[in-house]
Amino acid sequence: QVQLVESGGGLVQPGGSMRLSCTASGTFFSLYLMAWYRQAPGKQRELVARIVSGGDTSYADSVKGRFTISRDNAKNTVYLQMSGLKPEDTAVYYCNARLGPLDNWGQGTQVTISS
């Protein structure tokens, strides 16, 4: 199991940028499939982006071309670089780490896009 701690959320104006970080404790981080999810008020949690151990990435259609997920295995950290932010990106963003039957979540970080 790993413990995940997200950071980097806050308030930003539409069109702005923000980077989220998620640092994991524990071992074998490089083997984990890492992902970012988000949940807006009154909506279901949705997958935003994910990155496999080999580095391949995939994105929700709503964020393609605006968000970039990356990982630094030496630092046990996964990042979500967000640009061109829109009000509809407002949500609590959660980090997820998955390896076989292991499924770990962070506590979430609030991202608010507003002028």
Side-chain angles (χ1 to χ4, degrees):
Q1 297 278 9
V2 294
Q3 292 184 329
L4 305 172
V5 178
E6 299 107 332
S7 60
L11 173 65
V12 68
Q13 292 186 341
S17 299
M18 180 182 288
R19 189 177 79 161
L20 305 181
S21 300
C22 170
T23 299
S25 63
T27 56
F28 305 115
F29 172 82
S30 63
L31 300 180
Y32 279 78
L33 185 157
M34 300 298 300
W36 288 96
Y37 288 74
R38 67 186 181 187
Q39 188 167 18
K43 294 188 176 182
Q44 288 188 330
R45 191 173 296 188
E46 62 174 355
L47 176 65
V48 175
R50 62 181 182 179
I51 183 167
V52 301
S53 60
D56 288 344
T57 59
S58 59
Y59 299 90
D61 287 342
S62 59
V63 306
K64 279 181 182 176
R66 299 189 298 121
F67 290 12
T68 301
I69 188 170
S70 61
R71 66 192 299 162
D72 185 337
N73 290 332
K75 295 182 178 180
N76 278 17
T77 300
V78 63
Y79 304 98
L80 186 67
Q81 179 68 47
M82 305 182 291
S83 60
L85 284 162
K86 305 175 182 179
E88 51 264 43
D89 294 318
T90 295
V92 178
Y93 283 70
Y94 296 91
C95 180
N96 175 259
R98 200 164 292 178
L99 179 63
L102 304 176
D103 189 10
N104 304 275
W105 292 89
Q107 81 286 354
T109 185
Q110 177 69 47
V111 172
T112 302
I113 315 304
S114 176
S115 55

